[in-house]
Amino acid sequence: MAATEVMVGRPCYEVEFSDGSTIVADAEHQWLTETRASRRSPEGGSAVVTTEQMLATLTVGAEARANHSVRNAAPLRAPDAALPIPPYALGAWLGDGHSDGARFTSETDEIPGSSPAPACALRRAGRCFTP
């Protein structure tokens, strides 16, 4: 696996997964995929293809069935640790947070109320929540 700096002025594609989530990927981004043929073959197997190559072979057959599948990453397994911020609160902050302070925006009380246990005290300030 390799990482590159953010590149600008390059052809990109919006990639939508079967769960409805989307990302924007460079035309040359490399994906480890299984094709419909490899999934049906006893040998199986995956291949590395670029976003552009995947687009060119996106569907197969007269019924235009989805050709490529990308496996979900396994969850991270790590020993328990004392964390400076509860994981759910961190996820909410990363997803809907503000870079200039410890707050996030939510239209409703659903996100701050979804934590399995009170992670930290939240104070409502308009549509923003702050610990």
Side-chain angles (χ1 to χ4, degrees):
M1 180 186 301
T4 61
E5 295 297 318
V6 174
M7 295 183 243
V8 294
R10 301 198 29 96
C12 294
Y13 298 94
E14 183 175 83
V15 178
E16 182 175 349
F17 297 92
S18 59
D19 67 356
S21 62
T22 60
I23 65 162
V24 175
D26 186 275
E28 295 302 313
H29 180 83
Q30 295 181 337
W31 301 86
L32 182 64
T33 75
E34 292 178 339
T35 63
R36 182 165 173 76
S38 70
R39 288 189 303 273
R40 299 179 83 175
S41 167
E43 294 84 34
S46 300
V48 175
V49 296
T50 66
T51 307
E52 213 155 52
Q53 289 170 325
M54 194 166 32
L55 178 62
T57 58
L58 192 59
T59 60
V60 293
E63 298 168 350
R65 293 183 180 232
N67 188 27
H68 295 273
S69 65
V70 177
R71 289 196 181 268
N72 290 335
L76 179 63
R77 304 257 187 239
D80 288 344
L83 303 172
I85 183 169
Y88 187 88
L90 177 61
W93 187 19
L94 291 173
D96 293 309
H98 299 259
S99 61
D100 64 345
R103 69 180 194 275
F104 64 93
T105 302
S106 179
E107 288 289 328
T108 67
D109 292 336
E110 180 182 1
I111 291 174
S114 294
S115 182
C120 50
L122 294 175
R123 180 176 54 85
R124 186 179 187 117
R127 293 184 330 176
C128 293
F129 293 84
T130 57

